[in-house]
Structure formats: structure tokens, C-alpha cells
Amino acid sequence: MYPNDPNKPRTQRYDNGYNADPQAHQAYSDQGYQQPYQGDQYRGDQPYAAAAQPAAPQRRPKPPRPQVNPSMFIGGVLATAVVTALAAWLVAWIIRLVITRVNETGALGVWNPMANDEYWFGVVAFFCAIFAGALWYVLHLATPAPNQFFRWIVGLLVVAAMLIPLLLSYEWVTGISTAIVHAVIGLPILFLIPAMGTKSMERR
């Protein structure tokens, strides 16, 4: 018969040292027997994690976008408007003075003056700077790179303002003088307004 023959009594089935007596098994457990590792809490006497789960990547918070300080920006735009108006008035006055002196001598013929007087150019320059400041602020709110878009828009407008008098004026002196004043109006706006916007930004 085999050692584990089911016909044998239960206490005689195993002859390999295992004692199937329930009382002996209970005594063995009372002496400090610890059940083997079950589940995912312990392995031997050390804590054990069931499965090392990869940590979810943490998204870094986006840095706050710089905001424009309204008072500083408005002050910078007004100062730019004043500078542009003065520059346009001064250049137009100098051109008109030169044309008047040339006409008085009569050596180079009679030159027609500019399309408008110097005061009109000064007023136009002031409001152009104000509108340019509003344009830059809208681009700051709606686009990721307001300075680049602003320079492209204003630069193209300045080129058009210089070419139109040259192409449409009957007198070349009138076209050249008007184009010069338009360039004097556009260049300060092109460079000063983005600078005022950048300097007036602050992080909140």
C-alpha cells in the first residue's frame, strides 16, 4: 500500500514526518508559526508593495502671463503721441520753410508746397499714435506675439503712406515732401509703442 493510501487511518497516511494530529498542529501554531506570505502586504518581515505603479507625470503650472499696467501704458502712449506730433510738425515746418525760400529766389523755379500744412500733420500724427496704442493693446489681448504683429501692420502702413503721395502727386516736390512727413509720423510709432507696451508689463 502507498503511504498516502486512503484506506489507512488518517493518522497513519503520512510517514514522512508530518503529523496530522489537530492538537499538535494547534500547538505548533501557538509556538509562533506564521503563515506564509499572502496578498500584497508583507514578504517575510518587510513591507511589500503589490506592484510598483508608475507615478503619473505632474504638469507644471504655467507661469502667469504678464499683464499691462494700464496707467503706465496710457502714459507711454500719450507721451509717444506728443513726440510724434512735435516731430511731424517740426519736419513739415522745415520743409515748408525751405520751399518758401526756394520760391523766393526763383533760381530753381516755383515749387508747390506740401499737400497740407504743418499743423494738420501734427494733429494727424497725434491721433495716429493714439490709434496705434489701442491696436497694440488689442494685439496683446488676442495674439501671442503682439510686438511682431504690430511691427508688421504699422510697417506696411508706413510704406503705403510713403508710396501713395509719390505715385499720386502731380508735382514730385509735393510727393517727396509729403512722403517724408509720413515717414516721420510712422517711424516713432513703429518703435515707441511696442517699447511702451513691453516696459509697462508686470507679472501678477
Side-chain angles (χ1 to χ4, degrees), residues 53-72:
Q53 299 293 336
Q58 297 181 356
R59 294 183 178 180
R60 296 182 178 180
K62 295 182 179 180
R65 184 177 180 180
Q67 300 296 327
V68 175
N69 188 329
S71 59
M72 293 184 61

Side-chain angles (χ1 to χ4, degrees), residues 69-94:
N69 188 329
S71 59
M72 293 184 61
F73 181 68
I74 292 174
V77 171
L78 291 177
T80 302
V82 172
V83 170
T84 306
L86 290 175
W89 174 85
L90 181 61
V91 172
W93 179 78
I94 292 174

Side-chain angles (χ1 to χ4, degrees), residues 114-133:
M114 294 179 296
N116 299 96
D117 58 9
E118 56 270 20
Y119 298 104
W120 186 87
F121 282 113
V123 173
V124 170
F126 183 86
F127 285 104
C128 284
I130 297 297
F131 291 144

Side-chain angles (χ1 to χ4, degrees), residues 89-159:
W89 174 85
L90 181 61
V91 172
W93 179 78
I94 292 174
I95 293 175
R96 181 176 295 277
L97 182 61
V98 171
I99 292 176
T100 302
R101 295 302 182 185
V102 170
N103 290 337
E104 288 178 355
T105 59
L108 300 177
V110 177
W111 292 356
N112 291 326
M114 294 179 296
N116 299 96
D117 58 9
E118 56 270 20
Y119 298 104
W120 186 87
F121 282 113
V123 173
V124 170
F126 183 86
F127 285 104
C128 284
I130 297 297
F131 291 144
L135 173 63
W136 186 93
Y137 188 75
V138 172
L139 292 175
H140 169 72
L141 296 178
T143 62
N147 290 340
Q148 285 76 5
F149 286 108
F150 179 85
R151 290 191 177 99
W152 272 99
I153 294 172
V154 175
L156 293 175
L157 291 177
V158 171
V159 172

Side-chain angles (χ1 to χ4, degrees), residues 25-47:
H25 178 72
Q26 183 65 31
Y28 181 70
S29 299
D30 294 341
Q31 291 176 1
Y33 172 77
Q34 295 181 355
Q35 293 183 357
Y37 162 75
Q38 294 180 355
D40 57 355
Q41 295 181 356
Y42 294 92
R43 175 176 289 177
D45 57 350
Q46 298 294 332

